[in-house]
Amino acid sequence: MVERDAYARAMDGDDAEGGGAARSRNQSQSALAPAKLLALFCATSIVVYTDRGIISSAAVSGVPRSIDVPRGSGLQGALDASYSAYGALTAAFMIGLLCGCPTFSALARDVNPFRLISYGLMLYVIGEVGCAVAPSYWFMFACRCLVGVGEASFVSLAAPFIDDYAPPARKTLWLATFYLCVPFGVAFGILFGGAVAPALGWRAPFALNACCAAPIAAYCFSSPPVRMRGLVASSSRASSPAPPHAMSRSASTILGAFIKDCRKLAQFKLYAYVACGYSFYTAVIGVYAVWGPKAGYAIFSNELSSPTNADMVLGGVTVLSGILGTLFGGFVVDTFGSTLPNALRTCACAAFAGFIFLEIAFRCSSFGMFLLFFIAGEMFAFVLQAPINAVVLWSVEPRLRPLACGMTTVIIHLFGDVPTPPLFGHFLERRGSPTPERWRAVCAGFTLLLVVSACILGGASVVAKTAVDYRRVDDDADDDDGGGGGGDDDDDDDGMSDSGIDHARLMPQYSL
Protein backbone atom coordinates (compact mmCIF):
# COMPACT_ATOMS: atom_id res chain seq x y z
CA MET A 1 0.00 0.00 0.00
CA VAL A 2 2.83 2.41 0.88
CA GLU A 3 4.64 1.63 -2.35
CA ARG A 4 1.49 2.13 -4.38
CA ASP A 5 0.80 5.49 -2.67
CA ALA A 6 4.34 6.64 -3.39
CA TYR A 7 4.06 5.42 -6.95
CA ALA A 8 0.80 7.32 -7.53
CA ARG A 9 2.14 10.51 -5.93
CA ALA A 10 5.26 10.38 -8.09
CA MET A 11 3.14 10.15 -11.20
CA ASP A 12 1.41 13.46 -10.63
CA GLY A 13 3.63 15.19 -8.11
CA ASP A 14 4.22 18.17 -10.39
CA ASP A 15 0.55 18.98 -10.84
CA ALA A 16 0.65 21.40 -7.91
CA GLU A 17 3.63 23.31 -9.34
CA GLY A 18 2.70 26.43 -11.17
CA GLY A 19 4.35 29.29 -12.97
CA GLY A 20 6.62 29.63 -15.93
CA ALA A 21 9.75 29.29 -13.79
CA ALA A 22 8.92 25.73 -12.75
CA ARG A 23 8.05 24.70 -16.32
CA SER A 24 11.25 26.29 -17.66
CA ARG A 25 13.35 24.53 -15.05
CA ASN A 26 11.76 21.17 -15.82
CA GLN A 27 12.29 21.61 -19.54
CA SER A 28 15.97 22.30 -19.06
CA GLN A 29 16.35 19.27 -16.78
CA SER A 30 14.48 16.94 -19.11
CA ALA A 31 16.89 17.35 -22.04
CA LEU A 32 19.09 14.40 -21.07
CA ALA A 33 16.63 12.35 -19.02
CA PRO A 34 14.99 10.43 -21.89
CA ALA A 35 18.43 9.70 -23.37
CA LYS A 36 19.58 8.36 -20.00
CA LEU A 37 16.54 6.11 -19.88
CA LEU A 38 17.37 4.80 -23.35
CA ALA A 39 21.01 4.27 -22.36
CA LEU A 40 19.99 2.31 -19.25
CA PHE A 41 17.73 0.00 -21.24
CA CYS A 42 20.33 -0.46 -23.99
CA ALA A 43 22.97 -1.46 -21.44
CA THR A 44 20.54 -3.88 -19.79
CA SER A 45 19.58 -5.38 -23.15
CA ILE A 46 23.22 -5.99 -24.07
CA VAL A 47 23.87 -7.78 -20.77
CA VAL A 48 20.68 -9.85 -21.04
CA TYR A 49 21.30 -10.97 -24.62
CA THR A 50 24.98 -11.63 -24.00
CA ASP A 51 23.78 -14.81 -22.31
CA ARG A 52 22.27 -16.01 -25.61
CA GLY A 53 25.61 -15.54 -27.33
CA ILE A 54 27.57 -17.23 -24.57
CA ILE A 55 25.63 -20.47 -24.74
CA SER A 56 25.74 -20.38 -28.56
CA SER A 57 29.51 -19.89 -28.58
CA ALA A 58 31.33 -22.86 -30.14
CA ALA A 59 34.06 -22.54 -27.52
CA VAL A 60 31.53 -22.71 -24.67
CA SER A 61 29.26 -25.40 -26.13
CA GLY A 62 32.14 -27.61 -27.28
CA VAL A 63 31.46 -31.01 -28.81
CA PRO A 64 29.57 -34.06 -27.45
CA ARG A 65 31.24 -37.23 -26.25
CA SER A 66 32.00 -39.72 -29.00
CA ILE A 67 34.29 -42.59 -29.91
CA ASP A 68 36.85 -40.19 -31.34
CA VAL A 69 36.52 -37.73 -28.42
CA PRO A 70 35.51 -39.84 -25.38
CA ARG A 71 35.33 -36.92 -22.94
CA GLY A 72 33.97 -34.38 -25.42
CA SER A 73 34.67 -30.73 -24.69
CA GLY A 74 33.00 -27.65 -23.27
CA LEU A 75 29.45 -27.70 -21.99
CA GLN A 76 28.39 -30.67 -24.12
CA GLY A 77 31.28 -32.79 -22.94
CA ALA A 78 30.98 -31.84 -19.27
CA LEU A 79 27.21 -32.40 -19.13
CA ASP A 80 27.10 -35.30 -21.63
CA ALA A 81 24.74 -33.46 -24.00
CA SER A 82 24.20 -34.62 -27.59
CA TYR A 83 23.46 -32.13 -30.37
CA SER A 84 19.72 -32.61 -29.84
CA ALA A 85 20.06 -32.21 -26.06
CA TYR A 86 22.17 -29.11 -26.58
CA GLY A 87 19.48 -27.68 -28.87
CA ALA A 88 16.89 -28.30 -26.14
CA LEU A 89 19.18 -26.67 -23.57
CA THR A 90 19.54 -23.50 -25.60
CA ALA A 91 15.75 -23.27 -25.84
CA ALA A 92 15.14 -24.07 -22.15
CA PHE A 93 15.22 -20.44 -21.06
CA MET A 94 12.15 -19.94 -23.26
CA ILE A 95 10.09 -21.94 -20.75
CA GLY A 96 10.78 -19.33 -18.08
CA LEU A 97 10.28 -16.53 -20.59
CA LEU A 98 6.90 -17.89 -21.66
CA CYS A 99 5.73 -18.09 -18.04
CA GLY A 100 7.29 -14.83 -16.92
CA CYS A 101 6.17 -12.44 -19.68
CA PRO A 102 2.40 -12.60 -19.05
CA THR A 103 3.00 -12.65 -15.29
CA PHE A 104 5.07 -9.46 -15.23
CA SER A 105 2.71 -7.81 -17.71
CA ALA A 106 -0.22 -8.44 -15.36
CA LEU A 107 1.70 -7.30 -12.26
CA ALA A 108 2.62 -4.00 -13.94
CA ARG A 109 -0.88 -2.74 -13.08
CA ASP A 110 -0.02 -2.72 -9.35
CA VAL A 111 3.77 -2.60 -9.00
CA ASN A 112 6.28 -0.01 -10.16
CA PRO A 113 7.52 -1.35 -13.54
CA PHE A 114 11.11 -0.41 -12.69
CA ARG A 115 10.83 -2.47 -9.53
CA LEU A 116 9.49 -5.38 -11.58
CA ILE A 117 12.46 -5.11 -13.93
CA SER A 118 14.80 -5.23 -10.94
CA TYR A 119 13.08 -8.33 -9.55
CA GLY A 120 13.46 -10.03 -12.90
CA LEU A 121 17.13 -9.08 -13.19
CA MET A 122 17.77 -10.51 -9.72
CA LEU A 123 16.38 -13.85 -10.89
CA TYR A 124 18.47 -13.51 -14.04
CA VAL A 125 21.64 -13.12 -11.94
CA ILE A 126 20.77 -16.19 -9.87
CA GLY A 127 20.16 -18.21 -13.04
CA GLU A 128 23.47 -17.13 -14.58
CA VAL A 129 25.35 -18.12 -11.43
CA GLY A 130 23.56 -21.49 -11.50
CA CYS A 131 24.67 -22.02 -15.12
CA ALA A 132 28.26 -21.33 -14.05
CA VAL A 133 28.22 -24.00 -11.34
CA ALA A 134 25.82 -26.56 -12.91
CA PRO A 135 26.90 -30.10 -11.96
CA SER A 136 24.50 -31.90 -14.32
CA TYR A 137 22.46 -31.44 -17.48
CA TRP A 138 19.12 -31.14 -15.70
CA PHE A 139 20.46 -28.63 -13.17
CA MET A 140 21.69 -26.58 -16.11
CA PHE A 141 18.27 -26.95 -17.76
CA ALA A 142 16.53 -25.60 -14.64
CA CYS A 143 18.91 -22.64 -14.44
CA ARG A 144 18.29 -21.82 -18.10
CA CYS A 145 14.56 -21.69 -17.29
CA LEU A 146 15.27 -19.29 -14.40
CA VAL A 147 17.29 -17.06 -16.73
CA GLY A 148 14.21 -16.88 -18.94
CA VAL A 149 11.97 -15.83 -16.06
CA GLY A 150 14.43 -13.08 -15.20
CA GLU A 151 14.58 -11.82 -18.75
CA ALA A 152 10.78 -11.72 -19.05
CA SER A 153 10.24 -8.56 -16.97
CA PHE A 154 12.65 -6.54 -19.08
CA VAL A 155 11.30 -7.86 -22.38
CA SER A 156 7.72 -6.95 -21.42
CA LEU A 157 8.27 -3.51 -19.92
CA ALA A 158 11.26 -1.77 -21.55
CA ALA A 159 9.91 -1.04 -25.04
CA PRO A 160 6.73 0.78 -23.87
CA PHE A 161 8.90 3.13 -21.79
CA ILE A 162 11.01 3.97 -24.83
CA ASP A 163 7.92 4.48 -26.97
CA ASP A 164 6.60 6.94 -24.37
CA TYR A 165 9.71 9.05 -23.94
CA ALA A 166 11.29 9.01 -27.40
CA PRO A 167 11.14 12.27 -29.42
CA PRO A 168 8.06 12.15 -31.69
CA ALA A 169 10.00 12.41 -34.96
CA ARG A 170 12.51 9.72 -33.96
CA LYS A 171 10.43 7.05 -32.25
CA THR A 172 11.34 4.26 -34.67
CA LEU A 173 15.02 5.22 -34.64
CA TRP A 174 15.04 5.13 -30.82
CA LEU A 175 13.39 1.73 -30.89
CA ALA A 176 15.98 0.69 -33.49
CA THR A 177 18.76 1.82 -31.16
CA PHE A 178 17.23 -0.28 -28.41
CA TYR A 179 16.66 -3.35 -30.56
CA LEU A 180 20.10 -3.25 -32.17
CA CYS A 181 21.34 -4.21 -28.70
CA VAL A 182 19.75 -7.64 -29.28
CA PRO A 183 22.08 -8.74 -32.11
CA PHE A 184 24.94 -6.78 -30.55
CA GLY A 185 24.46 -8.56 -27.22
CA VAL A 186 24.20 -12.00 -28.85
CA ALA A 187 27.26 -11.35 -31.00
CA PHE A 188 29.20 -9.95 -28.06
CA GLY A 189 28.31 -13.06 -26.09
CA ILE A 190 29.68 -15.25 -28.88
CA LEU A 191 32.90 -13.21 -28.97
CA PHE A 192 33.08 -13.11 -25.18
CA GLY A 193 32.57 -16.85 -24.86
CA GLY A 194 35.14 -17.52 -27.57
CA ALA A 195 37.71 -15.34 -25.81
CA VAL A 196 37.10 -16.36 -22.18
CA ALA A 197 36.21 -20.07 -22.40
CA PRO A 198 39.57 -21.31 -23.82
CA ALA A 199 41.44 -19.52 -21.02
CA LEU A 200 39.13 -19.88 -18.00
CA GLY A 201 36.77 -22.71 -18.96
CA TRP A 202 33.22 -22.76 -20.30
CA ARG A 203 31.67 -21.83 -16.94
CA ALA A 204 33.51 -18.51 -16.53
CA PRO A 205 31.55 -16.47 -19.14
CA PHE A 206 28.28 -17.16 -17.31
CA ALA A 207 29.75 -16.07 -13.96
CA LEU A 208 31.24 -12.87 -15.38
CA ASN A 209 27.96 -11.98 -17.09
CA ALA A 210 26.16 -12.37 -13.75
CA CYS A 211 28.61 -9.88 -12.24
CA CYS A 212 27.68 -7.36 -14.95
CA ALA A 213 23.92 -7.81 -14.43
CA ALA A 214 23.97 -7.45 -10.62
CA PRO A 215 24.63 -3.67 -10.41
CA ILE A 216 21.95 -2.97 -13.05
CA ALA A 217 19.43 -4.93 -10.99
CA ALA A 218 20.41 -2.95 -7.89
CA TYR A 219 20.06 0.37 -9.73
CA CYS A 220 16.60 -0.45 -11.06
CA PHE A 221 15.53 -1.61 -7.59
CA SER A 222 16.57 1.68 -5.97
CA SER A 223 15.27 4.00 -8.74
CA PRO A 224 12.12 6.07 -8.17
CA PRO A 225 9.17 5.14 -10.38
CA VAL A 226 8.92 6.23 -14.01
CA ARG A 227 5.47 6.76 -15.45
CA MET A 228 4.24 4.41 -18.16
CA ARG A 229 1.25 5.64 -20.16
CA GLY A 230 -1.90 3.62 -19.54
CA LEU A 231 -0.71 1.89 -16.35
CA VAL A 232 -0.85 4.64 -13.75
CA ALA A 233 -3.60 6.31 -11.75
CA SER A 234 -5.03 9.59 -12.93
CA SER A 235 -4.66 12.77 -10.91
CA SER A 236 -8.00 12.30 -9.22
CA ARG A 237 -7.23 8.79 -8.13
CA ALA A 238 -3.64 9.60 -7.18
CA SER A 239 -4.83 12.14 -4.63
CA SER A 240 -6.92 9.53 -2.84
CA PRO A 241 -5.42 6.95 -0.49
CA ALA A 242 -4.92 3.54 -2.03
CA PRO A 243 -7.26 0.89 -0.64
CA PRO A 244 -5.70 -1.55 1.85
CA HIS A 245 -6.04 -4.41 -0.58
CA ALA A 246 -4.46 -2.54 -3.51
CA MET A 247 -1.22 -4.48 -3.31
CA SER A 248 -2.74 -7.78 -2.25
CA ARG A 249 -5.22 -8.66 -4.93
CA SER A 250 -6.04 -12.34 -4.98
CA ALA A 251 -4.49 -14.56 -7.58
CA SER A 252 -7.93 -15.26 -9.04
CA THR A 253 -8.58 -11.52 -9.50
CA ILE A 254 -5.25 -10.99 -11.23
CA LEU A 255 -5.82 -14.05 -13.41
CA GLY A 256 -9.31 -12.86 -14.32
CA ALA A 257 -8.02 -9.43 -15.34
CA PHE A 258 -5.24 -11.05 -17.34
CA ILE A 259 -7.64 -13.31 -19.24
CA LYS A 260 -9.92 -10.35 -19.95
CA ASP A 261 -7.01 -8.33 -21.32
CA CYS A 262 -5.83 -11.27 -23.45
CA ARG A 263 -9.28 -11.50 -25.00
CA LYS A 264 -9.19 -7.78 -25.69
CA LEU A 265 -5.72 -8.11 -27.24
CA ALA A 266 -6.90 -10.91 -29.53
CA GLN A 267 -9.47 -8.55 -31.05
CA PHE A 268 -6.75 -6.43 -32.66
CA LYS A 269 -6.55 -8.00 -36.12
CA LEU A 270 -3.35 -6.24 -37.15
CA TYR A 271 -1.58 -7.37 -33.99
CA ALA A 272 -2.53 -10.98 -34.75
CA TYR A 273 -1.08 -10.73 -38.27
CA VAL A 274 2.13 -9.19 -37.00
CA ALA A 275 2.60 -11.80 -34.26
CA CYS A 276 2.17 -14.60 -36.81
CA GLY A 277 4.66 -13.16 -39.29
CA TYR A 278 7.08 -12.35 -36.48
CA SER A 279 6.97 -15.99 -35.35
CA PHE A 280 8.23 -17.33 -38.67
CA TYR A 281 10.94 -14.70 -38.74
CA THR A 282 12.01 -15.59 -35.20
CA ALA A 283 12.13 -19.28 -36.12
CA VAL A 284 14.92 -18.51 -38.59
CA ILE A 285 16.77 -16.10 -36.30
CA GLY A 286 16.68 -18.71 -33.53
CA VAL A 287 18.41 -21.26 -35.76
CA TYR A 288 21.15 -18.82 -36.73
CA ALA A 289 21.64 -17.65 -33.13
CA VAL A 290 22.07 -21.17 -31.77
CA TRP A 291 23.70 -23.02 -34.63
CA GLY A 292 25.41 -20.24 -36.59
CA PRO A 293 28.96 -20.55 -35.18
CA LYS A 294 28.82 -24.35 -35.30
CA ALA A 295 27.50 -24.32 -38.88
CA GLY A 296 30.18 -21.90 -40.02
CA TYR A 297 32.94 -24.00 -38.48
CA ALA A 298 31.50 -27.26 -39.83
CA ILE A 299 31.24 -25.93 -43.41
CA PHE A 300 34.48 -23.92 -43.50
CA SER A 301 36.65 -25.69 -40.93
CA ASN A 302 39.82 -25.25 -43.00
CA GLU A 303 39.37 -21.50 -43.33
CA LEU A 304 38.27 -20.92 -39.72
CA SER A 305 40.72 -23.49 -38.26
CA SER A 306 39.14 -23.56 -34.75
CA PRO A 307 35.80 -23.07 -32.94
CA THR A 308 37.22 -19.95 -31.30
CA ASN A 309 37.96 -18.40 -34.69
CA ALA A 310 34.44 -19.31 -35.81
CA ASP A 311 33.05 -17.46 -32.80
CA MET A 312 35.18 -14.40 -33.49
CA VAL A 313 34.49 -14.18 -37.23
CA LEU A 314 30.78 -14.97 -37.20
CA GLY A 315 30.22 -12.99 -34.01
CA GLY A 316 31.83 -9.98 -35.67
CA VAL A 317 29.65 -10.49 -38.74
CA THR A 318 26.53 -10.53 -36.57
CA VAL A 319 27.60 -7.34 -34.77
CA LEU A 320 28.20 -5.52 -38.05
CA SER A 321 25.08 -6.69 -39.84
CA GLY A 322 22.89 -6.34 -36.74
CA ILE A 323 23.86 -2.74 -36.07
CA LEU A 324 23.64 -1.65 -39.71
CA GLY A 325 20.40 -3.51 -40.41
CA THR A 326 18.54 -2.45 -37.27
CA LEU A 327 19.48 1.21 -37.55
CA PHE A 328 18.69 1.20 -41.27
CA GLY A 329 15.22 -0.19 -40.56
CA GLY A 330 14.46 2.57 -38.06
CA PHE A 331 15.89 5.24 -40.35
CA VAL A 332 13.84 4.10 -43.36
CA VAL A 333 10.54 4.13 -41.47
CA ASP A 334 11.13 7.52 -39.84
CA THR A 335 12.33 9.04 -43.12
CA PHE A 336 9.57 7.81 -45.41
CA GLY A 337 6.77 8.09 -42.86
CA SER A 338 6.33 6.18 -39.62
CA THR A 339 2.91 4.81 -40.52
CA LEU A 340 1.75 1.26 -39.86
CA PRO A 341 1.58 0.30 -43.58
CA ASN A 342 5.07 1.72 -44.30
CA ALA A 343 6.58 -0.11 -41.34
CA LEU A 344 5.07 -3.44 -42.42
CA ARG A 345 6.02 -3.01 -46.07
CA THR A 346 9.59 -2.40 -44.92
CA CYS A 347 9.46 -5.61 -42.89
CA ALA A 348 8.08 -7.70 -45.76
CA CYS A 349 10.64 -6.46 -48.30
CA ALA A 350 13.53 -6.91 -45.86
CA ALA A 351 12.49 -10.48 -44.98
CA PHE A 352 12.34 -11.51 -48.64
CA ALA A 353 15.68 -9.85 -49.43
CA GLY A 354 17.26 -11.56 -46.42
CA PHE A 355 16.02 -14.93 -47.66
CA ILE A 356 17.58 -14.43 -51.12
CA PHE A 357 21.01 -13.43 -49.82
CA LEU A 358 21.17 -16.13 -47.14
CA GLU A 359 20.16 -18.86 -49.60
CA ILE A 360 22.91 -17.74 -51.95
CA ALA A 361 25.40 -17.68 -49.06
CA PHE A 362 24.88 -21.37 -48.24
CA ARG A 363 25.47 -22.29 -51.87
CA CYS A 364 28.86 -20.55 -52.02
CA SER A 365 31.95 -22.74 -51.94
CA SER A 366 34.26 -19.76 -51.42
CA PHE A 367 34.52 -18.55 -47.83
CA GLY A 368 34.92 -14.94 -48.99
CA MET A 369 31.75 -15.05 -51.08
CA PHE A 370 29.92 -16.81 -48.25
CA LEU A 371 30.81 -13.98 -45.85
CA LEU A 372 29.77 -11.31 -48.37
CA PHE A 373 26.30 -12.76 -48.96
CA PHE A 374 25.89 -13.81 -45.34
CA ILE A 375 26.54 -10.25 -44.10
CA ALA A 376 24.02 -8.87 -46.62
CA GLY A 377 21.43 -11.50 -45.69
CA GLU A 378 21.76 -10.93 -41.96
CA MET A 379 21.64 -7.16 -42.45
CA PHE A 380 18.33 -7.37 -44.30
CA ALA A 381 17.00 -9.79 -41.69
CA PHE A 382 17.77 -7.37 -38.88
CA VAL A 383 16.03 -4.51 -40.69
CA LEU A 384 12.78 -5.97 -39.30
CA GLN A 385 13.68 -5.51 -35.63
CA ALA A 386 12.60 -1.90 -35.06
CA PRO A 387 9.61 -1.60 -37.44
CA ILE A 388 7.92 -4.83 -36.40
CA ASN A 389 8.23 -4.08 -32.69
CA ALA A 390 7.04 -0.53 -33.29
CA VAL A 391 3.89 -1.91 -34.96
CA VAL A 392 3.29 -4.14 -31.92
CA LEU A 393 3.31 -1.02 -29.71
CA TRP A 394 1.27 1.18 -32.04
CA SER A 395 -1.43 -1.30 -33.02
CA VAL A 396 -2.93 -1.80 -29.53
CA GLU A 397 -4.36 0.45 -26.83
CA PRO A 398 -1.69 2.10 -24.64
CA ARG A 399 -2.67 0.21 -21.49
CA LEU A 400 -2.25 -3.08 -23.35
CA ARG A 401 1.28 -2.39 -24.59
CA PRO A 402 3.12 -4.31 -21.83
CA LEU A 403 0.78 -7.25 -22.34
CA ALA A 404 1.23 -6.99 -26.12
CA CYS A 405 5.02 -7.03 -25.73
CA GLY A 406 4.84 -9.92 -23.29
CA MET A 407 2.43 -12.01 -25.34
CA THR A 408 4.37 -11.27 -28.53
CA THR A 409 7.43 -12.67 -26.81
CA VAL A 410 5.45 -15.76 -25.78
CA ILE A 411 4.06 -16.30 -29.29
CA ILE A 412 7.26 -15.75 -31.28
CA HIS A 413 9.26 -18.01 -29.00
CA LEU A 414 6.63 -20.69 -28.55
CA PHE A 415 6.08 -20.99 -32.31
CA GLY A 416 9.46 -19.65 -33.41
CA ASP A 417 12.83 -20.22 -31.80
CA VAL A 418 11.75 -22.73 -29.16
CA PRO A 419 10.97 -25.58 -31.59
CA THR A 420 13.44 -24.77 -34.38
CA PRO A 421 16.85 -25.28 -32.66
CA PRO A 422 15.96 -28.82 -31.45
CA LEU A 423 14.35 -29.57 -34.84
CA PHE A 424 17.49 -28.37 -36.57
CA GLY A 425 19.58 -30.71 -34.42
CA HIS A 426 17.20 -33.58 -35.19
CA PHE A 427 17.38 -33.10 -38.96
CA LEU A 428 21.12 -32.62 -38.74
CA GLU A 429 21.68 -35.98 -37.02
CA ARG A 430 18.91 -37.92 -38.78
CA ARG A 431 21.30 -39.55 -41.27
CA GLY A 432 24.25 -40.06 -38.98
CA SER A 433 27.20 -37.78 -38.34
CA PRO A 434 26.57 -34.43 -40.09
CA THR A 435 28.68 -33.56 -43.12
CA PRO A 436 29.38 -30.03 -44.45
CA GLU A 437 26.85 -30.66 -47.24
CA ARG A 438 24.26 -31.68 -44.66
CA TRP A 439 24.89 -28.50 -42.69
CA ARG A 440 24.37 -26.43 -45.84
CA ALA A 441 21.15 -28.20 -46.79
CA VAL A 442 19.54 -27.95 -43.34
CA CYS A 443 20.49 -24.27 -42.95
CA ALA A 444 19.08 -23.44 -46.38
CA GLY A 445 15.88 -25.37 -45.64
CA PHE A 446 15.11 -23.49 -42.43
CA THR A 447 15.86 -20.16 -44.13
CA LEU A 448 12.80 -20.75 -46.36
CA LEU A 449 10.65 -19.70 -43.40
CA LEU A 450 11.63 -16.09 -44.13
CA VAL A 451 9.50 -16.26 -47.29
CA VAL A 452 6.48 -17.26 -45.20
CA SER A 453 7.17 -14.34 -42.86
CA ALA A 454 7.45 -11.92 -45.80
CA CYS A 455 4.10 -13.02 -47.23
CA ILE A 456 2.27 -12.65 -43.90
CA LEU A 457 3.77 -9.23 -43.19
CA GLY A 458 2.93 -8.12 -46.71
CA GLY A 459 -0.69 -9.08 -46.06
CA ALA A 460 -0.55 -7.26 -42.73
CA SER A 461 0.48 -4.04 -44.52
CA VAL A 462 -2.85 -4.18 -46.38
CA VAL A 463 -4.78 -4.67 -43.13
CA ALA A 464 -2.84 -1.76 -41.60
CA LYS A 465 -4.38 0.72 -44.05
CA THR A 466 -7.66 0.62 -42.12
CA ALA A 467 -6.23 -0.13 -38.65
CA VAL A 468 -6.12 2.41 -35.80
CA ASP A 469 -2.74 3.89 -34.87
CA TYR A 470 -2.93 4.19 -31.06
CA ARG A 471 0.06 6.51 -30.70
CA ARG A 472 -2.31 9.48 -30.62
CA VAL A 473 -4.63 8.24 -27.91
CA ASP A 474 -5.20 10.98 -25.36
CA ASP A 475 -3.13 10.21 -22.27
CA ASP A 476 -5.63 11.50 -19.70
CA ALA A 477 -8.45 9.54 -21.28
CA ASP A 478 -6.27 6.47 -21.26
CA ASP A 479 -5.54 6.87 -17.58
CA ASP A 480 -9.19 7.41 -16.73
CA ASP A 481 -10.88 4.65 -18.64
CA GLY A 482 -8.07 2.34 -19.71
CA GLY A 483 -8.73 2.74 -23.39
CA GLY A 484 -8.73 6.26 -24.69
CA GLY A 485 -9.87 7.29 -28.06
CA GLY A 486 -9.22 10.74 -29.41
CA GLY A 487 -6.06 12.05 -30.96
CA ASP A 488 -3.97 14.80 -29.43
CA ASP A 489 -2.32 17.59 -31.39
CA ASP A 490 1.37 17.79 -30.63
CA ASP A 491 2.90 20.92 -29.22
CA ASP A 492 6.64 20.52 -29.37
CA ASP A 493 7.13 23.92 -27.72
CA ASP A 494 5.46 22.57 -24.60
CA GLY A 495 7.58 19.42 -24.59
CA MET A 496 4.69 17.15 -25.47
CA SER A 497 5.32 14.00 -27.48
CA ASP A 498 2.80 12.45 -29.81
CA SER A 499 2.13 9.90 -27.11
CA GLY A 500 0.55 12.68 -25.03
CA ILE A 501 3.24 12.59 -22.32
CA ASP A 502 4.87 15.82 -21.14
CA HIS A 503 8.51 14.81 -20.83
CA ALA A 504 9.43 18.09 -19.20
CA ARG A 505 6.93 17.53 -16.40
CA LEU A 506 7.48 13.84 -15.82
CA MET A 507 11.10 12.96 -16.39
CA PRO A 508 12.79 15.25 -13.81
CA GLN A 509 10.84 13.38 -11.12
CA TYR A 510 12.81 10.19 -11.57
CA SER A 511 16.52 11.12 -11.37
CA LEU A 512 17.67 8.83 -14.15
Side-chain angles (χ1 to χ4, degrees):
M1 174 178 174
V2 173
E3 181 182 71
R4 180 149 181 134
D5 282 342
Y7 187 28
R9 286 195 299 272
M11 298 304 99
D12 292 89
D14 263 356
D15 286 347
E17 274 194 78
R23 172 58 60 88
S24 177
R25 182 176 68 252
N26 284 348
Q27 285 180 332
S28 65
Q29 290 176 346
S30 70
L32 292 178
K36 289 180 179 179
L37 184 67
L38 177 64
L40 173 65
F41 285 146
C42 285
T44 305
S45 183
I46 290 172
V47 171
V48 166
Y49 284 95
T50 292
D51 168 79
R52 308 268 190 100
I54 288 173
I55 198 167
S56 299
S57 167
V60 171
S61 59
V63 296
R65 300 174 187 177
S66 64
I67 297 176
D68 296 330
V69 189
R71 296 179 61 85
S73 67
L75 181 154
Q76 288 185 264
L79 304 181
D80 192 17
S82 65
Y83 282 117
S84 297
Y86 168 72
L89 192 63
T90 59
F93 84 98
M94 302 292 184
I95 297 175
L97 197 68
L98 301 184
C99 296
C101 279
T103 302
F104 284 111
S105 298
L107 290 175
R109 286 169 169 255
D110 300 306
V111 183
N112 172 9
F114 253 40
R115 188 62 56 83
L116 286 177
I117 289 176
S118 72
Y119 293 155
L121 289 176
M122 289 175 190
L123 294 176
Y124 177 87
V125 170
I126 295 172
E128 286 288 277
V129 172
C131 291
V133 300
S136 66
Y137 176 85
W138 289 110
F139 188 93
M140 183 74 170
F141 191 94
C143 289
R144 298 304 300 162
C145 293
L146 188 60
V147 167
V149 174
E151 182 182 329
S153 63
F154 179 73
V155 169
S156 300
L157 300 171
F161 275 125
I162 295 173
D163 186 48
D164 281 347
Y165 292 100
R170 298 195 297 275
K171 279 186 179 290
T172 315
L173 188 59
W174 274 46
L175 287 170
T177 303
F178 173 67
Y179 283 108
L180 74 81
C181 296
V182 175
F184 182 85
V186 173
F188 177 77
I190 294 173
L191 296 170
F192 183 63
V196 174
L200 301 178
W202 67 268
R203 299 177 185 273
F206 292 107
L208 293 174
N209 194 45
C211 293
C212 294
I216 299 177
Y219 179 84
C220 292
F221 182 81
S222 61
S223 293
V226 177
R227 178 180 182 179
M228 181 183 291
R229 187 165 62 114
L231 289 183
V232 296
S234 65
S235 300
S236 60
R237 288 192 299 247
S239 61
S240 303
H245 61 278
M247 291 299 297
S248 58
R249 293 195 299 165
S250 66
S252 61
T253 303
I254 295 175
L255 180 61
F258 170 71
I259 293 174
K260 181 180 178 181
D261 284 346
C262 284
R263 289 173 178 170
K264 178 70 173 177
L265 188 64
Q267 296 175 8
F268 293 92
K269 185 177 180 180
L270 180 59
Y271 171 79
Y273 268 92
V274 171
C276 184
Y278 202 177
S279 297
F280 284 98
Y281 164 79
T282 306
V284 179
I285 296 301
V287 167
Y288 282 93
V290 173
W291 295 101
K294 283 180 174 289
Y297 180 64
I299 296 171
F300 296 103
S301 56
N302 291 334
E303 290 83 355
L304 293 171
S305 73
S306 71
T308 298
N309 287 341
D311 288 339
M312 296 298 178
V313 172
L314 295 176
V317 165
T318 303
V319 168
L320 176 64
S321 58
I323 292 175
L324 293 178
T326 307
L327 288 177
F328 183 68
F331 173 79
V332 166
V333 174
D334 279 341
T335 301
F336 294 98
S338 59
T339 64
L340 296 175
N342 280 351
L344 288 167
R345 280 193 288 265
T346 300
C347 292
C349 293
F352 191 74
F355 159 74
I356 293 174
F357 282 100
L358 289 171
E359 285 291 328
I360 294 174
F362 284 108
R363 284 168 170 75
C364 293
S365 56
S366 164
F367 182 62
M369 294 301 294
F370 167 80
L371 276 184
L372 179 64
F373 284 102
F374 190 73
I375 290 173
E378 280 207 321
M379 188 185 77
F380 278 112
F382 283 117
V383 165
L384 277 73
Q385 285 285 344
I388 201 167
N389 282 285
V391 173
V392 168
L393 293 168
W394 301 341
S395 62
V396 301
E397 294 175 2
R399 71 179 184 86
L400 293 176
R401 289 177 305 162
L403 181 62
C405 290
M407 293 308 297
T408 299
T409 301
V410 170
I411 292 167
I412 66 174
H413 291 315
L414 186 62
F415 299 105
D417 56 2
V418 166
T420 49
L423 282 174
F424 187 98
H426 169 74
F427 284 110
L428 194 64
E429 294 181 312
R430 190 172 59 171
R431 298 179 181 176
S433 182
T435 62
E437 291 73 21
R438 187 68 183 160
W439 278 97
R440 289 179 187 271
V442 178
C443 285
F446 276 84
T447 305
L448 281 167
L449 295 175
L450 281 178
V451 176
V452 181
S453 177
C455 293
I456 295 173
L457 294 174
S461 68
V462 177
V463 176
K465 293 179 180 179
T466 57
V468 177
D469 187 335
Y470 285 92
R471 280 176 289 178
R472 292 186 175 273
V473 171
D474 182 79
D475 191 41
D476 291 332
D478 179 60
D479 285 346
D480 289 337
D481 58 33
D488 217 359
D489 291 335
D490 298 336
D491 186 353
D492 292 336
D493 293 334
D494 283 341
M496 295 293 288
S497 76
D498 64 356
S499 64
I501 289 184
D502 186 343
H503 297 171
R505 181 172 71 85
L506 292 173
M507 291 304 294
Q509 293 283 319
Y510 308 122
S511 304
L512 292 175

